[in-house]
Amino acid sequence: EVQLVESGGGLVQAGGSLRLSCAASGLTSDDYAIGWFRQAPGKERERVSCISSSDSSTLFADSVKGRFTISNDNAKNTVYLQMNSLKPEDTAVYYCAAVVGYRCAATVFGWSGVYVRFGYWGQGTQVTVSS
C-alpha cells in the first residue's frame, strides 16, 4: 500500500520560509514522480511543483518560480519543498501526490487530468502566511 505523509506546515510571516516534507512508503517502482499541489479555501486545487525519482527533473508553477525549490532524498524516499519569500497568497493546504511509471514532465504535470494521473495522495499540511 502506497502511503504519503506530509509534514512541516505551519504559520509564518510574509517573507519567511518553510520546508515541507513528503515521506513515501510502499512505492514498488524506482520510476515515479512526486508532485506538490495546494488548495486554498474557496479556490481550485493547483499545481505547485514536481520532481522525478529517476533524474530529479523538476517543474514549477509560475507563481512559485524563483521562490520554491524541490529536492528528493531517494534513500529516505522523501521529497522536500523549500518555500522561501512566502506570500499571504501561498496560504493553502499543501498535498503531495505520487504517480508511478512517469517522470515529472510537462505532458504529465501540465495535463488537465493531472489530479487523476497522480493516483496516490497524502492527507495534506496547512501552510498559513500572515501579512
Side-chain angles (χ1 to χ4, degrees):
E1 178 186 5
V2 176
Q3 287 191 326
L4 302 172
V5 179
E6 303 98 334
S7 61
L11 173 64
V12 65
Q13 288 188 332
S17 298
L18 283 174
R19 189 178 80 157
L20 304 184
S21 299
C22 174
S25 61
L27 288 167
T28 57
S29 171
D30 291 334
D31 185 20
Y32 59 88
I34 298 289
W36 283 98
F37 303 82
R38 66 187 182 185
Q39 188 165 20
K43 295 188 177 180
E44 293 187 354
R45 185 169 32 178
E46 62 175 338
R47 304 163 179 80
V48 176
S49 181
C50 66
I51 188 166
S52 304
S53 64
S54 56
D55 62 3
S56 296
S57 54
T58 61
L59 286 172
F60 294 91
D62 288 343
S63 59
V64 305
K65 279 181 182 176
R67 300 188 298 121
F68 291 11
T69 59
I70 190 170
S71 60
N72 56 1
D73 184 337
N74 287 338
K76 295 182 179 180
N77 286 337
T78 300
V79 169
Y80 304 98
L81 184 69
Q82 178 66 44
M83 307 186 295
N84 299 326
S85 302
L86 283 162
K87 305 175 181 180
E89 51 264 43
D90 294 317
T91 295
V93 177
Y94 283 70
Y95 301 89
C96 67
V99 56
V100 177
Y102 290 88
R103 291 177 56 249
C104 171
T107 52
V108 176
F109 200 56
W111 183 46
S112 60
V114 63
Y115 304 117
V116 176
R117 177 64 56 79
F118 278 78
Y120 304 100
W121 290 79
Q123 82 287 351
T125 186
Q126 176 70 47
V127 171
T128 302
V129 184
S130 63
S131 57

